[in-house]
Amino acid sequence: MKYWLLKTEPESFSIQDLQDSPKQTTFWDGVRNYQARNTLRDDMKIGDRVLFYHSNADPPAIVGVAKVVKEGYPDHTAWDENNHHYDPGSTPEKPRWYMVDIQLERVFAQPLGLDHLRTIKSLAKMELLRKGSRLSVQPVTAEEFKEVLKQAGAK
């Protein structure tokens, strides 16, 4: 099992949106960075666990946990001219972008804000906390994942 962090802007798609969706499951679409795409396409597997992170929030925070329930497959939003994720260079025959499906496991009672996370010594090397780190799909070590759950009072 691997661990990941997925960033989203809560006004676009929040953990509450995931909580309210059918079967508390959604596809993770709209990733338009090649390194993040490769992770979605090649590395994320069913059962992997995901930290759900609200970026551009006040404060930016890890707000819950999900799991991967469907491995990487072509992101169909890239083919829809009316979708803001449209990419004319991606076609069903030659897809450029990929997504996975995730399912909610839990919403944290209290979000774990970025400032708080920075104070935790065992998270010092976490990709999220690295200066200049902007990827929307990031690896998380098992130890980091456990520490985040501990901080959230979760298992």
Side-chain angles (χ1 to χ4, degrees), residues 9-149:
E9 295 179 4
E11 63 275 356
S12 295
F13 190 83
S14 71
I15 199 157
Q16 289 74 29
D17 294 324
L18 180 56
Q19 193 170 33
D20 294 343
S21 65
K23 298 183 183 176
Q24 296 184 330
T25 302
T26 192
F27 49 83
W28 200 261
D29 66 320
V31 173
R32 298 297 182 262
N33 170 284
Y34 287 103
Q35 186 176 347
R37 183 266 331 252
N38 293 349
T39 298
L40 291 168
R41 183 188 65 198
D42 303 332
D43 300 326
M44 295 179 86
K45 303 297 180 198
I46 291 173
D48 285 358
R49 296 183 74 201
V50 174
L51 297 174
F52 200 105
Y53 181 80
H54 282 173
S55 62
N56 287 341
D58 188 21
I62 299 174
V63 295
V65 178
K67 65 182 174 184
V68 177
V69 294
K70 184 174 180 181
E71 294 178 13
Y73 62 99
D75 181 344
H76 59 81
T77 66
W79 312 325
D80 180 356
E81 291 182 28
N82 297 315
N83 190 292
H84 64 283
H85 295 135
Y86 175 65
D87 178 355
S90 182
T91 66
E93 300 76 32
K94 279 192 90 167
R96 180 177 289 167
W97 306 111
Y98 283 73
M99 58 188 173
V100 297
D101 288 0
I102 63 168
Q103 182 176 57
L104 182 66
E105 283 189 356
R106 77 170 19 192
V107 177
F108 293 160
Q110 292 294 323
L112 296 176
L114 197 56
D115 289 342
H116 172 69
L117 295 171
R118 290 188 193 286
T119 69
I120 303 166
K121 192 172 252 181
S122 62
L123 297 180
K125 293 185 178 180
M126 189 174 186
E127 179 66 25
L128 176 68
L129 305 179
R130 206 169 55 93
K131 190 172 178 123
S133 179
R134 301 198 33 89
L135 279 179
S136 62
V137 179
Q138 300 177 359
V140 174
T141 68
E143 294 78 20
E144 292 164 346
F145 190 86
K146 270 173 73 171
E147 181 62 33
V148 168
L149 292 184

